[in-house]
Amino acid sequence: MALMHRFFIKDGEVTYCSRFLRSDSYVKNSEKNRIVVTEFGTLAMPDPCKNIFARFFSRFQVPSKASAATDNASVNFVKYKGDYYVSTETNYMRMIDPQSLETKDKVDWSKFVAVNAATAHPHYDRDGTTYNLGNSYGKAGFFYNIVRVPLPKEKVEKDEADLSGAEVLCSIPASDSRRPSYYHSFAMSENYVVFIEQPIKLDLLKFMLYRIQGKSFHKVMEWDPSLETIFHVVDKRTGKVYPITVTYYGNAMFTLHQINAYEDQGQLVMDMCCGDDGAVIGDFTLENLSKASGEELDKFYNGLCTNLPKRYVLPLDVNDQTPVNENLVTLPFCTAKAVKMADGRVYCVHENLYGDDLLEFGGLEFPQINYNNYNTRKYRYYYGCGFGHVFSDSLLKMDVETKELKSWRYPGLYPSEPVFVPSPEATDEDDGVVMSVIITPREEKSTFLLVLDAKTFTELGRAEVPVNIPYGTHGVFNDRA
Ligand SMILES: [Fe+2]
């Protein structure tokens, strides 16, 4: 059940509180005093093959069954029209009060705009306009839909959720209508949204059988490395795929989280955490995660593909006159390549956004930047979790110009996603702090909120919490609560 946490920091004091989201799922389970609503990771019917990616499936329920999708929004805090919501990967979100953590209105995306669901990773323009990614399917086929939710003309305090004015900016047809791709997030620069159609495919026909016959998850969502990764570029100003006649593609890869994207000299720089073996999605089962001994778990983990930060660059001004078989990436600081092939498509090869020393920390995930000031802009630093374990066991800071890595790692301490907070008068990009919730299984140690100086990555302080906090996923900083 989604448990919301809030650290309130003022005048050198830290207050902590937590509250269960009063979702319909929570209420039903509480009434029966056991789990009766099937969820991701916590099942009314034991099914060790159920996978953490399975919540994505709720998007594909027939409309009459949509109410069966969970509103147990346990993934992220997101913002629409200035209001806070908690989100998962279903068609439901829950409005919440960021101060009291009180649960408010339940929102069904499909009531506002023609999408089945939205990701837990929207992007924001500087004026607060929110963008997200959903999908729709019907007789015409399967579409990935870019959604835009504008700011209200004037802010009125109210308790009801309001996504009015939400519109589908662009519908991108799936390259294979019967096998759409899994997605967890998308990239956004100042003028463009990029949807990454990766070769993790959901077989809709098998999915229907899965629901009827209880077939294994592995057979429904498959990594198909024979396919390419397609980058769909949408112009935010026109709502059209851009450039209409050009397809950008790269080798098969698997991505969950984007780092940043920006335009520079007619090229779109796109940074993300990705791996080259998406078969890993079949391994995140409860059965694997509950392996008994440490050695067995380590063996399992060491066999997994690790996600690493990579940079792709898409040349935007490609047309009939563009020469073939030449590298079109001209940015002096970048070794990524993009080549127009004889068939007119543009083949993109990434640059690694790290040095060899990152490999000692395992993969890197949960990337964060100085979002408010540098999202969609050229930037230098990102922060993330190192995954030397099934759970993250280090905090990392990377300089993308020098590939210099800074780290915070202590045995037995497991950090959550780092959240960057700029100093009020900051002039440098990394002038601020990085905050993370550190959990530990060691009984003599307690959970704490860690505050690092973002420049030096040294500890400024910690606030110990006298209760156990479960391992979390994503978090946000709010300077107004
Ligand atoms: Fe995520």
Side-chain angles (χ1 to χ4, degrees):
M1 295 286 90
L3 181 62
M4 297 177 285
H5 306 270
R6 177 178 186 261
F7 289 92
F8 181 65
I9 306 169
K10 191 178 184 186
D11 299 333
E13 296 217 330
V14 183
T15 315
Y16 168 79
C17 71
S18 66
R19 214 164 177 181
F20 277 108
L21 180 71
R22 260 55 180 183
S23 60
D24 291 349
S25 300
Y26 178 90
V27 172
K28 278 183 202 152
N29 289 334
S30 299
E31 278 167 2
K32 300 284 181 195
N33 200 27
R34 66 187 176 89
I35 300 294
V36 291
V37 181
T38 295
E39 296 281 356
F40 134 71
T42 315
L43 297 157
M45 294 294 288
D47 175 4
C49 291
K50 192 92 175 180
N51 183 291
I52 64 166
F53 294 93
R55 72 183 136 206
F56 188 77
F57 290 172
S58 62
R59 293 173 180 179
F60 302 98
Q61 289 175 342
V62 291
S64 63
K65 293 235 181 107
S67 58
T70 183
D71 63 339
N72 179 34
S74 59
V75 181
N76 204 1
F77 290 84
V78 296
K79 217 170 170 182
Y80 294 94
K81 297 188 157 201
D83 297 322
Y84 274 94
Y85 296 82
V86 284
S87 172
T88 178
E89 295 193 299
T90 72
N91 56 313
Y92 291 121
M93 293 190 299
R94 276 288 185 165
M95 194 177 181
I96 54 115
D97 181 326
Q99 293 191 45
S100 64
L101 298 183
E102 191 189 337
T103 304
K104 291 157 87 174
D105 238 7
K106 179 177 172 179
V107 181
D108 181 349
W109 267 99
S110 59
K111 296 272 189 312
F112 288 93
V113 64
V115 292
N116 296 313
T119 77
H121 292 287
H123 275 296
Y124 308 97
D125 272 345
R126 279 198 170 64
D127 69 357
T129 302
T130 308
Y131 292 80
N132 209 333
L133 176 64
N135 64 59
S136 63
Y137 62 102
K139 283 194 183 121
F142 188 101
F143 296 88
Y144 311 102
N145 295 328
I146 311 291
V147 177
R148 175 160 60 195
V149 183
L151 273 185
K153 291 203 173 61
E154 57 189 66
K155 182 72 190 137
V156 187
E157 287 298 326
K158 57 183 180 331
D159 279 345
E160 291 118 59
D162 174 22
L163 296 183
S164 59
E167 57 175 343
V168 172
L169 181 67
C170 181
S171 284
I172 303 165
S175 54
D176 179 349
S177 217
R178 288 170 52 179
R179 292 208 311 158
S181 289
Y182 173 75
Y183 54 85
H184 186 76
S185 65
F186 60 99
M188 187 175 90
S189 68
E190 189 182 348
N191 295 305
Y192 302 96
V193 165
V194 186
F195 168 61
I196 298 147
E197 194 176 20
Q198 56 185 330
I200 292 177
K201 294 289 177 182
L202 175 64
D203 190 317
L204 288 178
L205 199 63
K206 284 182 182 164
F207 174 65
M208 298 307 164
L209 291 172
Y210 164 87
R211 294 189 59 79
I212 297 162
Q213 301 174 347
K215 292 265 185 199
S216 166
F217 168 88
H218 305 273
K219 305 282 187 296
V220 176
M221 200 140 85
E222 277 180 332
W223 165 246
D224 187 346
S226 70
L227 297 175
E228 295 151 349
T229 303
I230 301 170
F231 305 110
H232 298 272
V233 181
V234 174
D235 191 324
K236 287 157 70 179
R237 297 160 295 189
T238 63
K240 298 268 185 344
V241 173
Y242 176 89
I244 295 164
T245 53
V246 177
T247 300
Y248 300 97
Y249 70 106
N251 289 349
M253 59 96 153
F254 160 58
T255 181
L256 288 175
H257 297 117
Q258 318 305 307
I259 304 172
N260 198 3
Y262 61 90
E263 296 145 43
D264 192 359
Q265 300 169 50
Q267 290 151 80
L268 199 158
V269 178
M270 195 167 58
D271 298 344
M272 66 187 90
C273 290
C274 45
D276 52 12
D277 183 5
V280 70
I281 60 155
D283 293 322
F284 282 94
T285 60
L286 289 178
E287 189 184 30
N288 277 335
L289 294 176
S290 61
K291 283 185 193 298
S293 75
E295 207 174 289
E296 199 182 3
L297 192 63
D298 287 348
K299 196 170 149 205
F300 158 68
Y301 180 73
N302 291 333
L304 289 181
C305 158
T306 50
N307 274 16
L308 291 163
K310 295 174 184 176
R311 168 168 288 175
Y312 288 84
V313 178
L314 313 184
L316 290 166
D317 194 15
V318 176
N319 53 43
D320 293 346
Q321 274 69 52
T322 306
V324 295
N325 296 327
E326 276 180 28
N327 181 18
L328 302 173
V329 180
T330 56
L331 300 173
F333 53 85
C334 188
T335 60
K337 291 189 173 67
V339 176
K340 185 179 165 193
M341 310 304 279
D343 63 5
R345 303 190 311 153
V346 177
Y347 175 58
C348 303
V349 181
H350 71 267
E351 167 189 352
N352 286 335
L353 268 194
Y354 59 91
D356 287 346
D357 53 352
L358 175 63
L359 301 176
E360 292 164 27
F361 292 89
L364 186 148
E365 263 294 349
F366 294 154
Q368 285 291 327
I369 58 167
N370 181 344
Y371 190 95
N372 287 353
N373 300 309
Y374 287 86
N375 186 48
T376 74
R377 290 182 180 157
K378 192 172 180 184
Y379 75 113
R380 185 161 174 183
Y381 304 105
Y382 65 81
Y383 311 88
C385 285
F387 276 79
H389 191 271
V390 172
F391 298 104
S392 65
D393 59 355
S394 62
L395 289 167
L396 302 169
K397 175 191 180 184
M398 182 72 76
D399 180 332
V400 297
E401 286 181 15
T402 64
K403 312 262 166 90
E404 187 204 350
L405 181 71
K406 285 188 164 65
S407 65
W408 184 95
R409 173 153 74 166
Y410 294 93
L413 299 183
Y414 298 92
S416 70
E417 176 178 74
V419 174
F420 177 86
V421 181
S423 298
E425 307 294 332
T427 50
D428 292 342
E429 180 184 334
D430 58 348
D431 186 356
V433 297
V434 164
M435 298 197 286
S436 171
V437 178
I438 313 293
I439 63 165
T440 178
R442 291 156 74 178
E443 280 182 22
E444 76 281 9
K445 299 268 185 194
S446 62
T447 305
F448 58 94
L449 176 73
L450 173 71
V451 183
L452 298 179
D453 180 325
K455 251 187 204 302
T456 61
F457 232 49
T458 50
E459 182 171 336
L460 291 176
R462 60 175 74 180
E464 295 197 347
V465 184
V467 292
N468 287 321
I469 297 179
Y471 187 76
T473 50
H474 303 296
V476 295
F477 172 70
N478 174 4
D479 63 357
R480 290 193 187 87

